Amino acid sequence: MAVLEKIRVKFGVAASIIIALGLLSFIVDPSQIISSLQSMSSKNDVGEINGKSISYNDFQADVQEMTTVSELLSGSSAQGAEAQAQARNAAWQNLIYKHLFVRKAMDAGISVGEAEVVNLTTGDNLSPLISQNPVFLDENGNFSKDQLSAFIQAMNADQSGSYRIYWNYLQNSIVNNQYSQKYNSLFTEASFVNALDLRNEVADNNNTTDVNFVMIPYGYQIDSTIVVSDNEIKNYYNSHKKFFRQQASRDIEYVVYEVVPSATDIEATRQTVADAYEEFATTDNVKAFLLKNSDRSYSEYWYKKGELNTVSSDIDNFVWSGDAKVSDIITKGNSFFVARVMDTRMVPDSAYVKHILLQGTDAAQVADSLVNEIKKGENISNLAASHSLDSGSMADGELGNIGWMTQSYMIPGFESVFMAKTGEPFVLKTQYGTHVVLVSQKSKPVEKKQVAIFEKESLASKETFNSFYAQANEFATKAAGSYENYRSAVQELGVYSHPVNNMLESSESLGSIANTKEVTRWAFDNKAGKVSNIMTIDNNYFFVATVKAVHKEGYATVNEAASVIRQRLEFEKMGQKVAEEVKTKMAGQSSLETIAESLNASVSSQSGIAFSSLNSQGLDPAFIGALSVAPEGKICGPVVGQVGVYVFQVTGRDTGAYYTEDDAKARDAQYSSYNTQMIIPVMMDDAEVKDNRARFF
């Protein structure tokens, strides 16, 4: 238990150090999902990695291991939705390493031996995951083999198996890191730029071109004489099929009824606030009143002028104008507010705080003793080194220094530091233990006020809720059966149908409405033309949806890709046609000015164009490539670009020396780094990894 308490303390007081892949809890009731997974078909797999099917149960087992580690460190199993999602991502990453990356690394001849792992975990060449792990640091913040040994002994005696899970997690992370470092080094060392390539790279960046040119833009109107046949579209599709790979998606339409309070509901809320106004204005226990009656709880925050604008500008104006203590009822949207000024003081924005953390039955006695020593002149940092359980607070390099605290950057329980006297140590207690605290500096105090805010938002009554449901039910009844019925209901009832194209299975929102996973799941479980029953989201929105089209995972069909292909081919043909017209009109012309006149265009100029910077100059790559090799002084073109056709004349070239070999090497290093970052994504694409987590979460 002592080791467990040490782990929690080290990860609880200061900012937690998240090592390796991230340790986050994930809580779910498996019975809610398992009941629907009666078969062993691939539809019920979380995914497939390198040919290995990942079942829901196997995935949950991996997530649960991370949950155990997180609970061991934090002492809490309470986690929000964001933390749950991060836990699933970390578990998925582990599986990618296990079934794909490590195997590919081994195929490349890379290995991580048992003796190597022992050396990295308990030997002379410790991994940073061990040597920098707060669990294995002594009171001075240094790695301690004694702490490591104590953990291993506790692990062997731990009946729950939690310590073993954590140790296995560390070892697995270390092994993965070793494989990653070794495999990445293959790419880093192989990314060799020889002397000739380096010289060419420097020259490409230092050699620039000045040019005069005429550009005939395509515009956005396609020439009606340009025709793209179905056969041309099909041939292009067959030649470029790899560009039309797609994720599974759905095209849907939906009608949504948002439940909003009626005028009657809003007036009832205003009356509720009015009835409680006098009690709020006079009660001695404002905190209890707000807890019982208000949507907003009591806050001891000290507000500066202007800060309450985030709640209501009328509240801020009231608080900082006049001497009245309680405002009238203030209306903002469907909410009503009453503000009561509780106190006014000169309060600093920040305080520099030092502390010593103590725990145990004698913590209070030890704290009093340390306060006396500090008052006698003893340095608090020296005392923190020998007594504090918090080895992570070392602002400005001194142990015990938490640093500058503000109201928004505050350890819970330390709020009193703003009122504390500078240089006088005192004792306070928090959820972490007993603290000896010293405020060494403060910013200049400014006038601030504590304000209690009685807030009540108007909510839809049962009658209002039912009226919106009745509207949704009328639409659903008329729309039932087919897409045609859905469209007829839209026209008949005069409602707006929201179109959504290419909605992915991972989609969790529609427009500004969040938590619409139920609509997404329905769409992926139904065929084109189906119409849903009413789906209630957050008890505040009624959805009726229809599936317009189903796009399967793999390659888009020719019909699905036709519009994109047609547009591309039309522009290609447009470029060819414009180029032929330009070529005809420029025949016999001897200057860009006369060519521009015949084309009803103007001559433009650009200087300092470098071939190596194709995307940074706002010019067509085809144009830049052509002028980089064109003879100086000669009229060249036409060149077909992406946005128009060019006729140009190189007017000069210059060779600088501002781009050096060091610059070239730095950019090559960036490319190499990018290549290593793409290793796993490319592996996943090559192995056709299927990630079906969105079906379940």
Side-chain angles (χ1 to χ4, degrees):
M1 290 302 295
V3 175
L4 176 58
E5 190 62 31
K6 174 180 174 61
I7 293 172
R8 291 177 179 171
V9 168
K10 285 185 176 291
F11 277 82
V13 177
S16 298
I17 299 175
I18 304 301
I19 58 176
L21 301 177
L23 312 174
L24 297 163
S25 297
F26 172 56
I27 306 302
V28 71
D29 180 5
S31 65
Q32 295 178 354
I33 300 178
I34 293 176
S35 61
S36 65
L37 306 182
Q38 300 298 325
S39 71
M40 296 300 291
S41 68
S42 61
K43 184 178 181 180
N44 297 325
D45 290 335
V46 172
E48 181 181 309
I49 302 173
N50 204 25
K52 165 70 176 177
S53 295
I54 309 300
S55 71
Y56 175 83
N57 288 337
D58 288 343
F59 182 67
Q60 281 298 96
D62 282 1
V63 173
Q64 186 55 47
E65 284 192 9
M66 288 196 171
T67 302
T68 302
V69 172
S70 179
E71 290 175 351
L72 181 65
L73 296 176
S74 67
S76 172
S77 61
Q79 295 290 338
E82 183 178 353
Q84 294 172 13
Q86 290 175 339
R88 294 193 292 269
N89 289 338
W92 182 253
Q93 184 179 356
N94 273 337
L95 290 169
I96 292 292
Y97 266 82
K98 178 180 179 180
H99 296 299
L100 179 61
F101 180 78
V102 171
R103 293 187 181 183
K104 293 292 186 182
M106 293 174 69
D107 290 344
I110 295 172
S111 65
V112 177
E114 183 177 343
E116 184 178 356
V117 176
V118 171
N119 193 32
L120 289 165
T121 52
T122 59
D124 297 327
N125 186 30
L126 293 175
S127 165
L129 299 180
I130 300 294
S131 64
Q132 298 176 18
N133 192 325
V135 176
F136 310 130
L137 303 183
D138 61 20
E139 62 274 9
N140 297 318
N142 300 318
F143 172 75
S144 170
K145 282 201 171 183
D146 290 339
Q147 298 288 353
L148 177 59
S149 298
F151 178 88
I152 293 175
Q153 291 175 8
M155 176 183 68
N156 294 329
D158 176 32
Q159 296 294 323
S160 70
S162 297
Y163 286 19
R164 173 66 63 182
I165 290 175
Y166 180 57
W167 183 249
N168 289 343
Y169 174 83
L170 286 177
Q171 287 185 313
N172 183 61
S173 298
I174 289 169
V175 169
N176 286 343
N177 285 347
Q178 285 297 104
Y179 273 112
S180 181
Q181 290 177 16
K182 292 181 178 182
Y183 197 92
N184 289 351
S185 69
L186 289 179
F187 284 78
T188 302
E189 296 301 323
S191 184
F192 174 73
V193 180
N194 61 43
L196 178 59
D197 289 335
L198 190 65
R199 187 165 62 250
N200 289 339
E201 185 177 340
V202 172
D204 286 341
N205 279 276
N206 282 323
N207 294 336
T208 60
T209 303
D210 301 333
V211 65
N212 292 334
F213 63 94
V214 178
M215 192 269 277
I216 307 301
Y218 301 143
Y220 298 100
Q221 187 70 35
I222 298 299
D223 190 330
S224 60
T225 64
I226 295 176
V227 178
V228 176
S229 68
D230 291 342
N231 193 49
E232 287 175 315
I233 292 174
K234 186 175 181 180
N235 289 338
Y236 185 93
Y237 175 85
N238 291 333
S239 301
H240 301 82
K241 189 174 181 179
K242 65 180 181 180
F243 295 119
F244 299 103
R245 190 169 181 176
Q246 64 182 11
Q247 293 179 267
S249 65
R250 300 292 185 269
D251 294 345
I252 70 167
E253 289 186 33
Y254 67 90
V255 169
V256 59
Y257 294 85
E258 180 182 3
V259 180
V260 295
S262 65
T264 302
D265 298 332
I266 294 172
E267 174 56 28
T269 303
R270 191 203 64 78
Q271 189 59 50
T272 298
V273 174
D275 292 343
Y277 179 92
E278 190 62 30
E279 182 182 355
F280 173 65
T282 59
T283 182
D284 293 329
N285 194 340
V286 174
K287 186 179 295 186
F289 174 89
L290 294 179
L291 186 64
K292 179 181 178 181
N293 299 285
S294 176
D295 295 337
R296 181 185 296 266
S297 59
Y298 183 74
S299 170
E300 295 185 353
Y301 189 91
W302 291 92
Y303 293 96
K304 289 193 297 186
K305 186 175 182 180
E307 287 187 322
L308 282 166
N309 282 325
T310 58
V311 181
S312 165
S313 58
D314 290 335
I315 292 178
D316 193 80
N317 290 335
F318 162 76
V319 169
W320 293 99
S321 61
D323 298 324
K325 296 297 183 182
V326 183
S327 73
D328 294 331
I329 297 176
I330 294 171
T331 304
K332 181 181 178 182
N334 292 334
S335 294
F336 299 92
F337 302 85
V338 182
R340 178 177 170 182
V341 178
M342 304 301 296
D343 198 1
T344 301
R345 292 191 188 183
M346 299 298 290
V347 182
D349 287 336
S350 56
Y352 196 97
V353 182
K354 305 180 179 184
H355 85 135
I356 299 171
L357 174 63
L358 305 169
Q359 290 181 342
T361 56
D362 62 342
Q365 182 179 350
V366 174
D368 290 338
S369 175
L370 293 176
V371 166
N372 290 330
E373 290 190 46
I374 295 170
K375 287 181 177 180
K376 293 177 182 178
E378 184 63 50
N379 186 287
I380 189 173
S381 295
N382 294 337
L383 295 176
S386 56
H387 292 87
S388 184
L389 294 174
D390 177 18
S391 60
S393 295
M394 291 188 64
D396 300 319
E398 289 191 20
L399 190 63
N401 285 13
I402 297 176
W404 287 100
M405 279 189 173
T406 65
Q407 290 187 91
S408 57
Y409 180 72
M410 169 68 59
I411 295 175
F414 271 65
E415 290 80 7
S416 61
V417 297
F418 296 111
M419 303 302 176
K421 291 184 179 180
T422 302
E424 290 192 14
F426 63 98
V427 178
L428 62 78
K429 292 186 178 181
T430 72
Q431 59 182 307
Y432 303 110
T434 300
H435 306 256
V436 176
V437 179
L438 179 68
V439 176
S440 62
Q441 300 178 66
K442 291 182 184 179
S443 61
K444 183 179 179 180
V446 295
E447 185 179 9
K448 296 184 180 182
K449 299 190 180 190
Q450 279 188 333
V451 183
I453 300 175
F454 176 21
E455 177 182 354
K456 205 72 175 173
E457 180 186 4
S458 301
L459 300 176
S461 63
K462 182 178 180 180
E463 292 75 18
T464 301
F465 183 91
N466 289 339
S467 70
F468 279 102
Y469 184 85
Q471 295 177 54
N473 187 59
E474 180 184 11
F475 178 83
T477 301
K478 293 179 180 295
S482 67
Y483 177 72
E484 290 72 20
N485 290 346
Y486 174 92
R487 291 305 311 174
S488 296
V490 168
Q491 295 297 322
E492 179 182 345
L493 298 177
V495 295
Y496 178 69
S497 180
H498 300 259
V500 180
N501 294 326
N502 303 117
M503 181 180 72
L504 300 178
E505 197 169 11
S506 58
S507 297
E508 297 182 349
S509 63
L510 289 169
S512 61
I513 304 173
N515 304 320
T516 58
K517 193 69 176 182
E518 181 182 350
V519 180
T520 304
R521 288 199 179 101
W522 177 86
F524 274 80
D525 286 339
N526 285 273
K527 298 178 180 179
K530 291 290 186 180
V531 180
S532 74
N533 295 321
I534 296 173
M535 293 177 280
T536 305
I537 304 299
D538 291 341
N539 214 33
N540 201 43
Y541 300 95
F542 299 124
F543 278 81
V544 179
T546 182
V547 179
K548 286 186 63 179
V550 172
H551 306 293
K552 295 182 179 180
E553 182 178 5
Y555 294 97
T557 64
V558 176
N559 288 337
E560 290 173 331
S563 61
V564 175
I565 296 174
R566 184 182 303 278
Q567 185 180 47
R568 183 178 184 87
L569 293 179
E570 284 175 344
F571 269 97
E572 286 184 1
K573 289 190 174 185
M574 172 72 79
Q576 294 166 3
K577 180 177 181 180
V578 172
E580 288 298 325
E581 293 173 351
V582 169
K583 186 176 181 179
T584 300
K585 291 183 179 181
M586 65 181 287
Q589 305 284 358
S590 59
S591 70
L592 278 182
E593 286 72 17
T594 57
I595 292 174
E597 185 177 353
S598 66
L599 295 171
N600 196 26
S602 59
V603 178
S604 301
S605 299
Q606 187 90 13
S607 60
I609 301 172
F611 174 72
S612 60
S613 303
L614 292 179
N615 297 321
S616 64
Q617 299 169 82
L619 298 172
D620 255 318
F623 174 46
I624 295 176
L627 67 87
S628 69
V629 295
E632 189 172 344
K634 182 179 178 181
I635 295 177
C636 302
V639 173
V640 178
Q642 295 177 346
V643 297
V645 172
Y646 298 82
V647 179
F648 65 92
Q649 183 179 37
V650 173
T651 59
R653 300 190 190 279
D654 187 27
T655 300
Y658 54 87
Y659 193 87
T660 67
E661 284 194 4
D662 288 340
D663 294 327
K665 289 177 180 178
R667 191 169 77 163
D668 291 338
Q670 289 179 337
Y671 285 143
S672 178
S673 175
Y674 174 76
N675 288 337
T676 58
Q677 293 173 21
M678 292 301 298
I679 289 173
I680 290 182
V682 169
M683 282 185 177
M684 292 173 63
D685 184 66
D686 183 64
E688 297 185 352
V689 170
K690 294 180 174 62
D691 183 356
N692 301 328
R693 287 178 291 161
R695 294 178 184 171
F696 307 94
F697 309 105

mmCIF file of all heavy atoms in Angstrom, residues 5 26 266 356 539 655:
data_model
loop_
_atom_site.group_PDB
_atom_site.id
_atom_site.type_symbol
_atom_site.label_atom_id
_atom_site.label_comp_id
_atom_site.label_asym_id
_atom_site.label_seq_id
_atom_site.Cartn_x
_atom_site.Cartn_y
_atom_site.Cartn_z
ATOM 1 N N GLU A 5 0.444 4.350 -2.548
ATOM 2 C CA GLU A 5 0.248 5.730 -2.115
ATOM 3 C C GLU A 5 1.303 6.644 -2.706
ATOM 4 O O GLU A 5 1.026 7.769 -3.120
ATOM 5 C CB GLU A 5 0.289 5.796 -0.589
ATOM 6 C CG GLU A 5 -0.146 7.137 -0.023
ATOM 7 C CD GLU A 5 -1.587 7.464 -0.375
ATOM 8 O OE1 GLU A 5 -2.398 6.527 -0.516
ATOM 9 O OE2 GLU A 5 -1.890 8.654 -0.524
ATOM 10 N N PHE A 26 -11.071 3.985 -18.937
ATOM 11 C CA PHE A 26 -12.187 3.831 -19.860
ATOM 12 C C PHE A 26 -13.218 2.945 -19.182
ATOM 13 O O PHE A 26 -12.933 1.798 -18.860
ATOM 14 C CB PHE A 26 -11.731 3.195 -21.166
ATOM 15 C CG PHE A 26 -12.883 2.834 -22.070
ATOM 16 C CD1 PHE A 26 -13.785 3.810 -22.454
ATOM 17 C CD2 PHE A 26 -13.059 1.542 -22.512
ATOM 18 C CE1 PHE A 26 -14.844 3.501 -23.279
ATOM 19 C CE2 PHE A 26 -14.110 1.228 -23.339
ATOM 20 C CZ PHE A 26 -15.004 2.206 -23.722
ATOM 21 N N ILE A 266 -41.082 30.547 -20.807
ATOM 22 C CA ILE A 266 -40.134 31.618 -20.473
ATOM 23 C C ILE A 266 -40.708 32.520 -19.388
ATOM 24 O O ILE A 266 -40.022 32.894 -18.436
ATOM 25 C CB ILE A 266 -39.787 32.426 -21.742
ATOM 26 C CG1 ILE A 266 -39.020 31.537 -22.732
ATOM 27 C CG2 ILE A 266 -38.966 33.659 -21.393
ATOM 28 C CD1 ILE A 266 -38.807 32.169 -24.090
ATOM 29 N N ILE A 356 5.649 22.631 0.956
ATOM 30 C CA ILE A 356 6.162 21.322 1.378
ATOM 31 C C ILE A 356 4.942 20.451 1.619
ATOM 32 O O ILE A 356 4.048 20.817 2.387
ATOM 33 C CB ILE A 356 6.997 21.433 2.675
ATOM 34 C CG1 ILE A 356 8.211 22.347 2.460
ATOM 35 C CG2 ILE A 356 7.449 20.058 3.149
ATOM 36 C CD1 ILE A 356 8.951 22.685 3.742
ATOM 37 N N ASN A 539 -32.577 14.349 -25.570
ATOM 38 C CA ASN A 539 -33.905 14.731 -25.096
ATOM 39 C C ASN A 539 -34.269 16.157 -25.517
ATOM 40 O O ASN A 539 -35.105 16.812 -24.889
ATOM 41 C CB ASN A 539 -34.004 14.612 -23.572
ATOM 42 C CG ASN A 539 -35.393 14.192 -23.115
ATOM 43 O OD1 ASN A 539 -36.073 13.443 -23.802
ATOM 44 N ND2 ASN A 539 -35.808 14.676 -21.955
ATOM 45 N N THR A 655 22.147 34.302 -60.027
ATOM 46 C CA THR A 655 22.667 33.264 -59.147
ATOM 47 C C THR A 655 23.112 33.910 -57.845
ATOM 48 O O THR A 655 24.010 34.741 -57.819
ATOM 49 C CB THR A 655 23.861 32.533 -59.780
ATOM 50 O OG1 THR A 655 23.437 31.937 -61.009
ATOM 51 C CG2 THR A 655 24.389 31.461 -58.843
#
